[in-house]
């Protein structure tokens, strides 16, 4: 029995040596093994959004800005509303630079639908909120700039913003004896309630809009801040391709014509159907 064990060991040692020689010479390898596919180059204008970026964005918070008629803003993680305002006034912040990219990816490529959303922890003493189609339409059509809804004209050109809201929602609008648009007191009361509801709607969007990790095409910082709006459904591949063609046509130069061309292309990218 000892002899057989020793012989087996000798046979195994010879086999191992042969295997090592074959591996070193490249022999013995399968000729049918597929070569690894080359890594595709990143799409023009695209950025990588990781799961860490998504989790970080969800730590943002909706906050009411109390100027004029008042309107909500998305405040980046680990920032107060005051710090956010300082950055918007021209301050520098690596946190905000990251936020612009991630928020733009959400605005263009995330999906958000009506439904019942539970807040954990509670938001503004609300444990949950029911987002309706009306809330989503207002969120989509609001006047956004730098992730803040315009406090004076939140939904259009009227400072009497309830008229703009009624128009967005398809409600009847009449004119008084002087030719001014009006919707009636009951409708105005409902529009004001819906306007206040945009705050928890926005918080639900931050926490629950669906976006997976991946590479996404987004405009650069300045344009994303001025053109960005939550589409609530992923932008079409056709519009992304149109933006990328405009980006390539603009080339590397830096001048006012290039900025104007890219701004126009970004406006089409964020346009609602």
């Amino acid at each position: 029995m000892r002899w057989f064990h020793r012989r087996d060991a000798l046979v195994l040692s010879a086999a191992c040596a042969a295997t090592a020689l074959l591996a070193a010479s490249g022999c013995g390898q399968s000729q049918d093994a597929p070569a690894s596919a080359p890594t595709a180059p990143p799409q023009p204008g695209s950025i990588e959004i990781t799961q860490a970026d998504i989790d970080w964005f969800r730590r943002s918070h909706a906050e009411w800005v109390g100027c004029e008629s008042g309107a909500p803003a998305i405040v980046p993680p680990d920032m107060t509303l005051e710090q956010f305002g300082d950055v918007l006034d021209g301050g520098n912040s690596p946190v905000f630079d990251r936020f612009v990219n991630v928020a733009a990816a959400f605005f263009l490529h995330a999906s958000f639908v009506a439904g019942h959303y539970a807040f954990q922890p509670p938001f503004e003493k609300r444990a949950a909120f029911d987002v309706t189609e009306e809330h989503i339409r207002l969120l989509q059509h609001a006047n956004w700039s730098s992730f803040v809804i315009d406090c004076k004209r939140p939904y259009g050109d009227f400072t009497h913003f309830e008229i703009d809201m009624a128009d967005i929602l398809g409600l009847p609008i009449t004119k008084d004896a002087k030719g001014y648009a009006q919707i009636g007191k009951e409708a105005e009361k409902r529009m004001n309630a819906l306007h206040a509801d945009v705050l928890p709607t926005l918080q639900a969007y931050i926490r629950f809009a669906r976006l997976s990790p991946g590479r996404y095409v987004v405009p650069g910082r300045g344009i994303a801040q001025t053109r960005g709006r939550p589409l609530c459904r992923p932008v079409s591949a056709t519009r992304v391709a149109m933006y990328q063609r405009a980006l390539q046509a603009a080339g590397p130069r830096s001048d006012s014509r290039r900025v104007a061309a890219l701004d126009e292309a970004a406006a089409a990218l964020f346009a609602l159907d």
Side-chain angles (χ1 to χ4, degrees), residues 220-236:
R221 171 172 170 165
I223 294 175
Q225 286 177 249
T226 56
R227 291 295 184 182
R229 65 170 68 212
L231 299 183
C232 297
R233 57 180 177 269
V235 65
S236 70

Side-chain angles (χ1 to χ4, degrees), residues 22-245:
L22 287 171
S25 64
C27 299
Q29 297 179 10
S30 172
Q31 299 301 311
D32 297 328
S36 57
T39 303
Q43 289 183 297
S46 69
I47 59 170
E48 183 75 24
I49 299 295
T50 66
Q51 186 61 53
D53 291 324
I54 293 168
D55 295 341
W56 179 78
F57 177 78
R58 297 206 189 283
R59 290 175 43 222
S60 306
H61 54 284
E63 194 156 340
W64 194 261
V65 180
C67 66
E68 300 285 348
S69 301
I74 302 180
V75 180
D78 306 317
M79 267 192 190
T80 65
L81 183 60
E82 291 73 22
Q83 290 171 328
F84 182 48
D86 289 341
V87 171
L88 294 183
D89 285 339
N92 293 318
S93 168
V95 169
F96 187 66
D97 291 342
R98 179 188 185 189
F99 178 75
V100 171
N101 283 336
V102 181
F106 264 87
F107 278 12
L108 275 173
H109 302 283
S111 176
F112 182 62
V113 297
H116 180 79
Y117 293 97
F119 293 136
Q120 188 57 250
F123 173 72
E124 297 286 316
K125 299 182 180 179
R126 293 177 184 263
F129 183 72
D130 291 316
V131 174
T132 68
E133 292 293 344
E134 287 186 325
H135 293 135
I136 289 178
R137 283 189 65 78
L138 293 174
L139 193 65
Q140 292 171 314
H141 288 80
N143 286 336
W144 285 86
S145 179
S146 287
F147 315 107
V148 182
I149 295 177
D150 190 318
C151 291
K152 188 171 185 178
R153 295 179 174 85
Y155 304 101
D157 297 326
F158 283 89
T159 52
H160 188 184
F161 65 87
E162 295 88 351
I163 303 296
D164 285 318
M165 294 176 70
D167 184 48
I168 290 168
L169 299 177
L171 302 181
I173 301 173
T174 60
K175 290 186 178 180
D176 61 17
K178 295 182 179 180
Y180 293 117
Q182 61 179 11
I183 57 175
K185 290 184 178 180
E186 287 303 313
E188 285 211 16
K189 183 178 179 181
R190 190 163 85 84
M191 294 304 99
N192 277 293
L194 281 172
H195 180 53
D197 281 349
V198 173
L199 180 67
T201 299
L202 185 55
Q203 185 65 27
Y205 178 90
I206 292 167
R207 293 197 187 175
F208 301 105
R210 294 191 294 274
L211 186 74
S212 299
R215 290 201 72 89
Y216 294 100
V217 171
V218 298
R221 171 172 170 165
I223 294 175
Q225 286 177 249
T226 56
R227 291 295 184 182
R229 65 170 68 212
L231 299 183
C232 297
R233 57 180 177 269
V235 65
S236 70
T238 300
R239 287 192 180 178
V240 170
M242 289 174 61
Y243 178 79
Q244 288 179 309
R245 285 197 293 272

Side-chain angles (χ1 to χ4, degrees), residues 223 227 243 246 258-270:
I223 294 175
R227 291 295 184 182
Y243 178 79
R258 181 179 188 274
V259 172
L262 292 182
D263 185 60
E264 183 179 350
L269 192 63
F270 279 106

